[in-house]
Amino acid sequence: VIDKNTPVQVGNSHWLQVSAGYAHNIAIRQDGTLWAWGWNADAQLGDGSLAIYKTTPVQISADTNWKSISAGTAFNLAIRQDGTLWAWGRNSEGQLGDGTLNYKNVPVQIGIATDWKIIAAGGAHSMAIREDSTLWCWGWNDNGQLGDGTMIVKTIPVKIGTDTNWRSISAGGAHSIATKQDGTLWVWGD
């Protein structure tokens, strides 16, 4: 890998959305396809391989219905057009949300809900907002970054509180930040 200190165009396709993880990237093209490139030691590219670097974008699955993405440290979250939640990559702290601690080298659906709206992948924890504006978190929780009043790892999405007015979220390395619809700012964790 060669470091670049000036912008370099990647391909000539029309990209809709991109997200940068620790040392990998994921993107959605305008045709709804999902792509990834970079480091893959923890299966975070989602192409079925492991410990293989990809220096150019590779398509992840043949699906054309990807809506939004968020890259964390060696794992990813995604929402499809049907509102389903998907995850893949490192899962040492349950950050994928599938109820296990097993790494996934291809995207796997998380639960059966079809109302996921916003996602944020952090260091080893995940956050999401559903269509009803409720807040959900899962994964690593040693610093209280899930916001559920404990310091216990959660391997599936857990509803945080009873509020139904969450607007935006961002997951850091060991902390979380969010805004509510009234414009107030909320933070928790390390």
Side-chain angles (χ1 to χ4, degrees), residues 48-62:
S49 68
L50 182 64
I52 298 172
Y53 292 80
K54 305 289 179 163
T55 58
T56 59
V58 293
Q59 187 171 345
I60 309 306
S61 84

Side-chain angles (χ1 to χ4, degrees), residues 19-163:
S19 186
Y22 174 73
H24 75 288
N25 306 288
I26 56 175
I28 299 174
R29 286 189 175 166
Q30 285 184 336
D31 63 3
T33 56
L34 180 64
W35 297 75
W37 65 99
W39 183 44
N40 197 34
D42 295 310
Q44 61 265 48
L45 296 189
D47 67 347
S49 68
L50 182 64
I52 298 172
Y53 292 80
K54 305 289 179 163
T55 58
T56 59
V58 293
Q59 187 171 345
I60 309 306
S61 84
D63 297 313
T64 60
N65 59 349
W66 298 100
K67 179 181 178 183
S68 64
I69 49 176
S70 183
T73 301
F75 77 102
N76 305 289
L77 302 174
I79 299 175
R80 286 191 176 171
Q81 294 290 344
D82 63 3
T84 56
L85 177 63
W86 296 74
W88 64 97
R90 182 185 295 167
N91 197 28
S92 57
E93 301 292 334
Q95 60 264 49
L96 298 187
D98 69 341
T100 76
L101 297 177
N102 301 325
Y103 292 26
K104 302 294 187 288
N105 63 5
V106 296
V108 295
Q109 186 173 344
I110 307 305
I112 59 171
T114 59
D115 62 347
W116 297 101
K117 181 179 176 183
I118 300 169
I119 46 177
H125 76 289
S126 301
M127 304 173 68
I129 296 176
R130 285 181 140 167
E131 291 291 344
D132 64 0
S133 297
T134 56
L135 177 64
W136 298 72
C137 295
W138 61 96
W140 185 44
N141 198 25
D142 286 3
N143 298 290
Q145 60 265 48
L146 299 187
D148 68 345
T150 76
M151 296 178 92
I152 300 169
V153 166
K154 304 296 186 303
T155 61
I156 60 171
V158 174
K159 186 177 176 185
I160 307 303
T162 59
D163 293 341

